Amino acid sequence: MILNAFNLEGKVALVTGCNTGLGQGMAIGLAQAGCDIIGVNRAGPDETQSKVEALGRQFWSVQADLTRPDIVSTVVEQALAAAGKIDILVNNAGIIRREDALNFSEQDWDDVMNINSKSVFFLSQQVARQFIAQGHGGKIINIASMLSFQGGIRVPSYTASKSAVMGLTRLMANEWAKHNINVNAIAPGYMATNNTEQLRNDESRSEEILARIPAGRWGDPDDMMGPVVFLASAASDYINGYTIAVDGGWLAR
Ligand code: NAP
């Protein structure tokens, strides 16, 4: 029956950047659907861990700074040592730096590109190799952005990195579909998290943004739960390389 296809009981999901915001919402959503969770964060994600454990699921913590793409193989090794397998990868950890393009620094370019794009690719590569070794395929869900579709203002490295995420999602899907690996992305719209605190505190930008969202509100981490469970589950087995907007209608305007 179709609802059984959404059941993730017995699956292990690795979620990066899950101590707060959208990553926390998705880790909890996946745990509600039956997953045990490996959380990859800079510091211990205590609140997420206790919320996942309260659902009767296991939670393992791996500490890593994902601005360093060279450490992703260690991340996968530690994850496997703890959980024994990985079925689902959610590449969520990401940062943003705001500055006029004329003044944008190389450091702000490199930091954002490293975590938002380079680590996403190399972590996906490591996990895809593991999926192939395990022999049952797997699911990779990347977190894109409205700036995978649009140019944005004062966020050059963020726009470049999230445009890369949408392109890489298609490339990885093309190469790995034959191994029963689905690679898709979710593009959140304007969501109330740390990432958008500066924007929400800027009264005129905040008003402009809200006026353009047909749903009439900022999104929140719970809005990510349904889409991530769908893309992590057998219900989406024939969806490959697609980026789903979860944006209250922003892109439809
Ligand atoms: P957030 O609350 O700032 O969460 C970002 C997460 O990434 C945090 O857990 C953060 O951990 C982690 N992280 C940051 N730097 C890291 C590093 N060097 N190594 C490992 N983890 C690191 O922001 P969010 O809004 O939930 O963002 C989650 C994802 O959604 C990002 O990829 C973001 O670009 C994307 N997104 C957000 C929006 C939005 O409107 N909020 C819209 C489109 C896309 P710390 O707490 O330790 O910093």
Side-chain angles (χ1 to χ4, degrees), residues 73-91:
S73 51
T74 324
V75 168
V76 174
E77 275 164 29
Q78 287 181 59
L80 289 171
K85 65 165 187 165
I86 305 170
D87 301 297
I88 297 154
L89 167 65
V90 182
N91 281 306

Side-chain angles (χ1 to χ4, degrees), residues 206-224:
S206 175
E207 260 173 42
E208 257 171 44
I209 288 167
L210 264 182
R212 202 203 131 139
I213 301 174
R217 65 170 177 88
W218 289 73
D220 66 46
D222 286 2
D223 291 313
M224 300 290 283

Side-chain angles (χ1 to χ4, degrees), residues 95-114:
I95 57 173
I96 193 163
R97 299 272 167 82
R98 297 178 196 278
E99 179 55 89
D100 292 345
L102 287 174
N103 298 325
F104 209 77
S105 71
E106 193 172 347
Q107 188 72 51
D108 283 345
W109 179 271
D110 288 342
D111 288 349
V112 172
M113 292 299 282
N114 276 345

Side-chain angles (χ1 to χ4, degrees), residues 178-200:
K178 63 175 177 283
H179 300 293
N180 285 325
I181 299 172
N182 297 79
V183 188
N184 291 293
I186 298 173
Y190 286 82
M191 318 296 271
T193 67
N194 297 338
N195 176 294
T196 53
E197 198 175 358
Q198 234 176 305
L199 270 186
R200 282 177 292 118

